[in-house]
């Protein structure tokens, strides 16, 4: 009887325990599902917020650049003159800066003026006039619209003078638009920026449902705020709760055994990790995230996701701070660039106007012309530095290694610089090495010379009196050539040492402002030294002077020493009526050639493009010499050269070009030109070239 009475109690206990545990488990299951939804919701919200921040950050450079361009007085003048060449050469070259597919300008009457597109966009005029009305109110606006090529992102701004930075005081002089086509390339850039999979969604398309994925939808609206489509960003959401369902079946099957086990481990396996998830979601508690990582199963993966998200937030903040600092430095650099360019231009324009419109003596004319020449050289130097810095940034520079007599190279530099400072109260010395190089060395002599000249120029700029010395020593043991440039000038504060080779940071002082310049010399020097496989450093104290050290690898070429020939003044020979073809599309440059040669007996023929130069050379056998511009319409100088040379192999052809880097010179030589002239033209060098190649006997031996 006792057994009979006890058995029902045991069964009841087992039944009641199982019911209680099953109900408890379902309660846990419900709570887990609720937590899953909360995790998913919070993750989607964070994803949406991050996408908005990244898209805003991606658009910021365009907004900054378009604001700078449309607050430019020269742009205002363009809307009046409608000088398309100015727009193409000045604004059209900024396609890469904007990373855009179309740059378009409209007048104050909202009529289309000009566009500069990439091959992606062929539509010419598609900006709504209502949008331009809106720009009169808001100044700058970004919107989306559909054109035959697809959906495009349009950033527009009203053009105003520079004294109206808020674009509110004056009526808009015109309108400028930057357009980017939302195509495969655009989508790939967004993929990289957001680290998600991006797709374009039409207005009538529904968002596809995918398991274990989170989506963020960025709606594309036109200037009337109507939705025309959307960008969908998709990312994996690897949070799984199926294991809990499987455990439920196991518990139901073995509830007596697992009841006790589940009561013990539920808190450890479910409640505690979920509490850590909650704490991590609510406050981003790093301790909770760390403990969550140390748990087992999917919660450990969630902990890794939380940590990754937290680290990404920190990196994003750092990147934002760095980007803002970069924008500030670039803005400062551009402001300085504008000042440095306008200063010589002001002198050139001002003194030219004085020469043209005022009565001046011969002495005053000579003085004005000297100022114009000096300002022009300063302007060319600034442009050369900018071009060289651009090539460095785009990794277009490669060392052109040649055999160099190091002692002759350094002595030549010393004599050249010494002549330029003969009017300064400075003791300029070349320190001879203790051990000269045993043989000629292998290096890029052009870049080596440029580094030394840049360092010497800086030393001489910032030394009003005292001494400037330079020299080198051979380190056979470490296979290095160690160069030193030392001055007793202004010196550099120690806080600025770390920034001295940064192209966007210039150490400003009264003397640096006085001597001017962009401060790119040291940045270019460091890039050249790095290119040659060396290192550069400095030691400087304020008031005591500076010493720059740089080293390059020592590589011997066991050949006889090279004798460096000095360049003598050119003696202009008498001309004998030879025929010279000048291929030049620019009227002012052609006029300069005419004026330079007006006292000679040359017969001048002009070609205004490459095709015309080819036709004249092939149909006019009595041409003795060709001065060929490299950049011309219809056919470039290189293309014209390819057609002329097979038919006229003995005709001297000299390139005239605005390009001046060593890489450009090598390209010109490889194309088969007999020589080259760089712009601005040097009259002495011009006649040296003409004399060389019009001397028939000597030319046949060249």
């Amino acid at each position: 009887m006792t057994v009979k009475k006890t058995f029902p109690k045991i069964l009841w206990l087992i039944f009641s325990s199982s019911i209680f545990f099953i109900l408890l488990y379902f309660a846990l299951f419900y709570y887990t599902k609720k937590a899953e939804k909360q995790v998913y919701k919070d993750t989607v919200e964070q994803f949406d917020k991050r996408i908005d921040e990244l898209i805003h950050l991606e658009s910021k450079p365009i907004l900054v650049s378009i604001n700078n361009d449309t607050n430019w007085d020269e742009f205002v003048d363009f809307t009046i003159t409608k000088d398309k060449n100015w727009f193409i050469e000045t604004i059209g070259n900024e396609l890469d800066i904007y990373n855009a597919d179309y740059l378009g300008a409209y007048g104050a009457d909202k009529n289309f003026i000009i566009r500069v597109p990439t091959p992606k966009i062929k539509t010419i005029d598609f900006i709504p006039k209502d949008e331009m009305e809106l720009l009169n109110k808001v100044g700058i606006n970004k919107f989306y619209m559909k054109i035959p090529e697809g959906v495009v992102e349009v950033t527009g701004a009203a053009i105003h003078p520079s004294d109206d930075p808020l674009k509110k005081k004056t009526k808009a002089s015109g309108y400028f638009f930057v357009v980017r086509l939302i195509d495969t390339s655009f989508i790939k850039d967004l993929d990289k920026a957001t680290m998600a999979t991006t797709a374009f969604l039409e207005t009538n398309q529904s968002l596809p449902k995918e398991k274990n994925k989170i989506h963020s939808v960025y709606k594309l609206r036109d200037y009337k705020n109507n939705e025309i489509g959307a960008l969908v960003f998709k990312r994996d959401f690897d949070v799984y709760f199926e294991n809990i369902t499987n455990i439920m079946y196991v518990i139901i099957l073995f509830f007596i055994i697992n009841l006790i086990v589940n009561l013990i481990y539920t808190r450890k396996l479910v409640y505690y990790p979920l509490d850590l998830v909650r704490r991590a979601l609510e406050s981003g508690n790093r301790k909770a995230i760390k403990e969550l990582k140390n748990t087992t199963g999917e919660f450990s993966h969630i902990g890794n996701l939380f940590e990754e998200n937290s680290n990404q937030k920190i990196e994003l903040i750092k990147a934002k701070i760095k980007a803002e600092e970069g924008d500030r430095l670039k803005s400062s650099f551009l402001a300085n660039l504008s000042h440095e360019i306008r200063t010589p231009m002001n002198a050139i324009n001002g003194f030219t106007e004085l020469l043209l419109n005022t009565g001046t003596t011969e002495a005053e004319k000579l003085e004005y012309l000297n100022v114009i020449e000096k300002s022009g050289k300063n302007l060319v130097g600034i442009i050369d530095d900018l071009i060289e810095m651009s090539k460095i940034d785009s990794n277009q520079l490669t060392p052109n290694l040649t055999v160099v007599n190091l002692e002759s190279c350094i002595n030549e530099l010393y004599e050249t610089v010494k002549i330029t400072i003969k009017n300064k109260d400075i003791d300029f010395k070349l320190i001879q090495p203790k051990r000269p190089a045993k043989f000629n060395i292998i290096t890029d002599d052009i870049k080596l010379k440029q580094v030394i000249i840049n360092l010497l120029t800086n030393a001489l700029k910032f030394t009003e009196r005292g001494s400037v010395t330079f020299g080198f020593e051979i380190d056979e043991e470490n296979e290095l050539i160690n160069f030193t440039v030392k001055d007793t000038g202004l010196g550099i504060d120690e806080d600025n040492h770390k920034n001295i080779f940064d192209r966007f940071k210039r150490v400003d002082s009264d003397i640096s402002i006085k001597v001017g310049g962009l401060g790119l010399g040291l940045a270019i020097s460091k890039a050249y030294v790095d290119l040659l496989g060396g290192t550069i450093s400095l030691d400087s104290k304020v008031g005591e002077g500076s010493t720059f050290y740089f080293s390059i690898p020592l590589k011997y070429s066991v050949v006889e020493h090279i004798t460096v020939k000095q360049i003598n003044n050119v003696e202009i020979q008498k001309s004998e009526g030879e025929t010279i073809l000048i291929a030049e599309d620019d009227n002012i440059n052609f006029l300069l050639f005419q004026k330079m040669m007006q006292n000679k007996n040359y017969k001048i023929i002009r070609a205004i493009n490459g095709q015309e130069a080819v036709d004249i050379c092939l149909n006019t056998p009595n041409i003795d010499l060709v001065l060929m511009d490299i950049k011309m319409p219809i056919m470039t100088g290189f293309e014209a050269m390819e057609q002329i040379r097979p038919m006229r192999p003995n005709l001297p052809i000299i390139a005239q070009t605005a390009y001046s880097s060593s890489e450009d010179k090598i390209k010109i030589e490889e194309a088969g030109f007999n020589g080259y002239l760089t712009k601005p033209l040097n009259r002495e060098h011009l006649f040296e070239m003409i004399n060389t190649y019009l001397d028939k006997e000597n030319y046949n031996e060249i």
Side-chain angles (χ1 to χ4, degrees):
M1 289 295 296
T2 303
V3 175
K4 289 183 179 181
K5 289 182 180 180
T6 305
F7 184 74
K9 291 181 180 180
I10 294 174
L11 291 177
W12 173 252
L13 178 61
I14 295 173
F15 179 77
S16 61
S17 298
S18 63
I19 292 297
F20 170 78
F21 195 80
I22 290 172
L23 291 174
L24 178 61
Y25 187 82
F26 274 113
L28 291 174
F29 186 76
Y30 169 77
Y31 181 78
T32 302
K33 283 295 184 182
K34 186 177 180 181
E36 178 189 8
K37 292 180 180 179
Q38 185 63 40
V39 171
Y40 181 84
K41 178 182 177 183
D42 292 340
T43 305
V44 169
E45 289 178 356
Q46 291 180 9
F47 189 39
D48 286 341
K49 183 178 179 181
R50 185 163 181 240
I51 290 298
D52 288 339
E53 290 174 349
L54 289 172
I55 289 179
H56 174 73
L57 190 63
E58 196 268 345
S59 299
K60 188 173 181 180
I62 292 180
L63 295 173
V64 171
S65 298
I66 199 172
N67 184 58
N68 289 339
D69 281 346
T70 53
N71 262 343
W72 191 10
D73 292 337
E74 290 187 18
F75 210 160
V76 173
D77 295 339
F78 160 75
T79 61
I80 298 171
T81 63
K82 296 181 174 55
D83 182 0
K84 295 185 178 181
N85 287 333
W86 179 91
F87 184 90
I88 293 171
E89 295 174 0
T90 305
I91 302 299
N93 287 331
E94 295 183 357
L95 270 174
D96 290 337
I97 296 176
Y98 282 105
N99 192 23
D101 299 306
Y102 176 104
L103 301 178
Y106 289 73
D109 57 359
K110 304 180 183 61
N111 288 328
F112 172 81
I113 300 176
I114 189 175
R115 62 157 191 162
V116 177
T118 65
K120 294 181 181 179
I121 297 181
K122 302 191 181 300
T123 306
I124 297 175
D125 178 11
F126 52 84
I127 304 298
K129 288 184 168 47
D130 290 346
E131 161 60 13
M132 300 181 205
E133 283 292 337
L134 179 61
L135 290 180
N136 288 331
K137 300 176 182 178
V138 299
I140 297 177
N141 185 37
K142 186 180 86 170
F143 63 97
Y144 299 85
M145 65 181 296
K146 289 185 177 180
I147 64 173
E149 289 80 1
V151 176
V152 293
E153 176 197 80
V154 182
T155 305
I159 302 171
H160 286 260
S162 59
D163 59 357
D164 185 15
L166 298 179
K167 303 183 178 180
K168 297 290 186 182
K169 300 177 183 178
T170 60
K171 184 179 178 182
S173 302
Y175 308 89
F176 177 52
F177 295 92
V178 178
V179 180
R180 298 192 297 177
L181 181 65
I182 300 179
D183 57 1
T184 304
S185 175
F186 186 94
I187 295 296
K188 285 182 179 179
D189 290 341
L190 286 180
D191 287 350
K192 292 179 182 178
T194 61
M195 292 183 292
T197 302
T198 312
F200 176 77
L201 193 68
E202 295 285 353
T203 308
N204 56 357
Q205 283 183 291
S206 59
L207 187 65
K209 293 184 179 180
E210 296 180 286
K211 187 178 180 182
N212 301 325
K213 301 285 184 181
I214 58 173
H215 298 83
S216 178
V217 179
Y218 183 83
K219 295 183 178 180
L220 307 180
R221 300 184 181 276
D222 61 16
Y223 69 98
K224 295 181 179 179
N225 206 33
N226 296 324
E227 184 179 346
I228 64 168
L231 292 174
V232 179
F233 301 86
K234 181 172 60 177
R235 180 178 290 178
D236 292 337
F237 182 70
D238 298 327
V239 180
Y240 306 103
F241 289 84
E242 290 85 354
N243 291 338
I244 298 175
T245 304
N246 296 331
I247 293 173
M248 183 184 72
Y249 294 114
V250 174
I251 291 175
I252 292 174
L253 185 61
F254 303 101
F255 67 91
I256 296 176
I257 299 173
N258 291 330
L259 179 61
I260 299 173
V261 176
N262 200 49
L263 287 173
I264 295 173
Y265 287 98
T266 296
R267 181 175 180 81
K268 181 179 179 181
L269 297 178
V270 180
Y271 284 108
Y272 181 62
L274 287 177
D275 182 61
L276 293 176
V277 171
R278 178 187 58 79
R279 287 159 57 191
L281 288 173
E282 289 179 352
S283 61
N285 190 307
R286 297 190 67 84
K287 182 179 179 181
I289 294 173
K290 184 177 179 181
E291 293 179 7
L292 191 61
K293 283 181 61 182
N294 293 329
T295 60
T296 58
E298 294 300 326
F299 287 108
S300 175
H301 186 56
I302 293 174
N304 290 327
L305 290 176
F306 278 129
E307 184 177 58
E308 180 185 347
N309 183 61
S310 178
N311 292 337
Q312 287 175 351
K313 282 185 178 179
I314 294 172
E315 291 299 321
L316 188 59
I317 292 171
K318 290 181 180 178
K320 181 181 178 184
I321 294 172
K322 186 176 180 180
E324 290 175 348
E325 173 69 7
D327 287 344
R328 185 184 67 79
L329 291 174
K330 287 179 181 179
S331 297
S332 175
F333 175 78
L334 290 173
N336 184 45
L337 170 62
S338 176
H339 170 76
E340 294 299 334
I341 289 178
R342 289 175 184 272
T343 298
M345 284 302 300
N346 181 60
I348 293 171
N349 292 338
F351 282 100
T352 301
E353 184 178 358
L354 288 175
L355 285 171
L356 293 174
N357 300 323
T358 62
T360 56
T361 64
E362 289 300 321
E364 287 175 329
K365 287 181 180 179
L366 182 61
E367 179 185 0
Y368 294 171
L369 290 171
N370 285 333
V371 171
I372 292 171
E373 181 187 26
K374 183 178 179 181
S375 299
K377 289 180 178 179
N378 290 341
L379 189 59
V380 170
I382 290 171
I383 294 171
D384 284 344
D385 282 351
L386 287 172
I387 293 172
E388 205 64 16
M389 209 64 236
S390 173
K391 290 188 175 183
I392 291 170
D393 287 342
S394 58
N395 295 321
Q396 293 183 8
L397 291 182
T398 55
N400 181 27
L401 301 179
T402 58
V403 178
V404 180
N405 184 303
L406 186 57
E407 287 77 12
S408 296
C409 176
I410 298 301
N411 288 329
E412 181 184 357
L413 276 179
Y414 171 70
E415 294 297 333
T416 302
V417 176
K418 185 178 179 181
I419 294 173
T420 65
I421 62 165
K422 57 185 178 181
N423 295 325
K424 297 192 72 173
D425 185 18
I426 293 177
D427 184 14
F428 181 55
K429 292 182 179 179
L430 169 62
I431 307 300
Q432 296 297 331
K434 296 177 182 178
R435 288 190 299 174
K438 296 178 181 179
F439 307 99
N440 291 342
I441 65 168
I442 297 176
T443 189
D444 187 328
D445 63 325
I446 294 177
K447 292 180 175 57
L448 175 61
K449 286 180 181 178
Q450 191 61 53
V451 172
I452 298 173
I453 288 173
N454 287 349
L455 296 178
L456 287 176
T457 301
N458 266 15
L460 294 167
K461 272 185 183 179
F462 298 105
T463 304
E464 294 186 351
R465 62 179 59 87
S467 65
V468 173
T469 60
F470 78 106
F472 70 92
E473 291 293 341
I474 302 296
D475 185 352
E476 298 276 1
E477 182 178 351
N478 296 311
E479 296 184 345
L480 292 174
I481 309 173
N482 300 317
F483 295 86
T484 304
V485 177
K486 183 177 182 180
D487 66 72
T488 60
L490 182 66
I492 303 168
D493 189 88
E494 189 173 350
D495 293 338
N496 291 314
H497 286 192
K498 61 184 178 181
N499 300 325
I500 198 68
F501 297 110
D502 191 329
R503 66 184 181 281
F504 289 133
K505 294 182 179 179
R506 188 179 71 166
V507 179
D508 286 327
S509 64
D510 291 341
I511 294 180
S512 64
I513 294 172
K514 178 180 178 182
V515 300
L518 295 176
L520 293 178
L522 291 179
I524 294 173
S525 297
K526 184 179 186 306
Y528 281 175
V529 171
D530 291 343
L531 190 68
L532 296 176
T535 59
I536 187 170
S537 61
L538 81 153
D539 181 15
S540 180
K541 291 184 179 179
V542 175
E544 296 182 11
S546 305
T547 304
F548 283 84
Y549 308 93
F550 75 93
S551 302
I552 62 172
L554 173 62
K555 296 180 181 178
Y556 280 131
S557 173
V558 186
V559 295
E560 295 181 359
H561 284 280
I562 297 174
T563 302
V564 178
K565 298 181 180 180
Q566 300 294 330
I567 298 176
N568 300 319
N569 292 332
V570 177
E571 180 181 349
I572 301 176
Q573 301 176 0
K574 295 292 183 180
S575 58
E576 299 178 357
E578 290 89 346
T579 300
I580 298 177
L581 170 64
I582 300 177
E584 174 61 69
D585 62 306
D586 186 83
N587 291 331
I588 294 178
N589 284 336
F590 179 71
L591 177 61
L592 180 60
F593 274 113
Q594 285 186 311
K595 294 300 180 182
M596 284 183 173
M597 300 180 183
Q598 64 183 356
N599 294 327
K600 317 309 294 177
N601 193 28
Y602 300 131
K603 180 181 178 182
I604 304 298
I605 301 175
R606 182 188 182 186
I608 61 173
N609 58 61
Q611 182 62 59
E612 190 171 319
V614 172
D615 295 340
I616 293 174
C617 285
L618 299 184
N619 297 318
T620 310
N622 63 337
I623 291 177
D624 298 293
L625 178 72
V626 179
L627 298 176
M628 180 78 73
D629 189 18
I630 293 297
K631 187 177 180 181
M632 290 186 294
I634 302 178
M635 184 183 293
T636 68
F638 287 116
E639 294 169 337
M641 179 68 175
E642 290 180 359
Q643 297 193 27
I644 295 172
R645 184 56 77 201
M647 305 302 294
R648 301 285 301 271
N650 297 321
L651 177 64
I653 303 177
I654 299 172
Q656 40 148 330
T657 175
Y659 306 121
S660 60
S661 70
S662 57
E663 288 76 13
D664 296 317
K665 294 173 183 176
I666 292 172
K667 185 178 178 182
I668 289 171
E669 291 172 357
E670 290 177 348
F673 287 94
N674 299 88
Y676 59 87
L677 298 166
T678 58
K679 299 176 182 178
L681 291 172
N682 181 287
R683 184 172 179 271
E684 186 178 88
H685 192 201
L686 170 63
F687 283 112
E688 179 185 16
M689 282 283 184
I690 292 175
N691 291 342
T692 299
Y693 292 104
L694 289 185
D695 185 346
K696 301 292 192 301
E697 295 181 2
N698 291 335
Y699 171 63
N700 292 330
E701 298 175 359
I702 295 177

